[in-house]
Amino acid sequence: TFTAAPTHYPAPIRLMHAKNITLQGLTVGGGVGDHLIETAALQNFLVDGCTLQNMSVASSTDNKTREALQLDLAVHDSIYPGCHQDGTMMQNVTIQNCTFRNVSRGVGGHSLLLNAYHENIKILNNTFTDVREECIIAGNYYNCEISGNIIKNCGSGIVFQYAKSNKKT
């Protein structure tokens, strides 16, 4: 169990440019970071039976786009300082049997790169409860499966995006 202190920033767990990572049976919550688990440029990433909960309503960065589990790409040093900024996308990701409760957003990201895609993404059999905004944001996903998820008392369900008008994304 990882419970960040009320003023903790950044995300309690950050993973970048790695392969064959499994997070299983974790509970993560608290802090004022923009994400609870922050990832970029991973291959073969499994999140199974985890609980992501109790994100602060306010962020230390005043960011309005805050996912409990961020799936992202390495393209800007303000997001991933110290990470090689080569645009590597996520590949072979499975998020299954997890609980997202009392968070800003559930799973996803908000950065897009023209003609680059997160590939083989599976979001299966998760429960989303009291998610203030979107439960799943699938941005530039290719070969994606989203099924068996339960969504209760949430701002919205699943959003697929392949273009954005905001210059910052």
Side-chain angles (χ1 to χ4, degrees), residues 9-151:
Y9 178 83
I13 298 174
R14 300 181 87 199
L15 304 165
M16 290 154 252
H17 279 293
K19 294 180 181 179
N20 305 320
I21 302 291
T22 297
L23 302 179
Q24 192 167 35
L26 294 177
T27 298
V28 184
V32 290
D34 293 337
H35 311 103
L36 295 175
I37 300 175
E38 194 168 83
T39 67
L42 300 183
Q43 294 180 349
N44 306 321
F45 179 46
L46 171 64
V47 182
D48 184 18
C50 294
T51 299
L52 285 78
Q53 63 186 7
N54 302 328
M55 284 180 84
S56 169
V57 174
S59 158
S60 62
T61 62
D62 199 30
N63 191 350
K64 304 298 183 212
T65 54
R66 304 170 57 226
E67 296 81 21
L69 174 53
Q70 182 185 34
L71 305 178
D72 213 343
L73 57 148
V75 291
H76 200 282
D77 60 5
S78 71
I79 302 170
Y80 297 103
C83 178
H84 184 60
Q85 306 298 326
D86 62 358
T88 299
M89 305 298 283
M90 303 285 284
Q91 292 182 333
N92 305 320
V93 174
T94 301
I95 301 155
Q96 63 187 15
N97 308 314
C98 294
T99 299
F100 296 83
R101 179 176 41 242
N102 190 29
V103 297
S104 183
R105 290 179 169 166
V107 177
H110 44 270
S111 298
L112 303 176
L113 186 60
L114 184 63
N115 296 322
Y117 303 93
H118 298 296
E119 294 186 49
N120 303 320
I121 309 296
K122 295 181 181 182
I123 303 171
L124 311 171
N125 306 314
N126 302 289
T127 301
F128 299 87
T129 305
D130 297 324
V131 175
R132 292 182 287 278
E133 298 178 41
E134 299 90 348
C135 293
I136 300 169
I137 298 176
N140 277 18
Y141 284 14
Y142 176 78
N143 195 21
C144 170
E145 179 184 353
I146 299 174
S147 66
N149 297 289
I150 297 169
I151 297 172

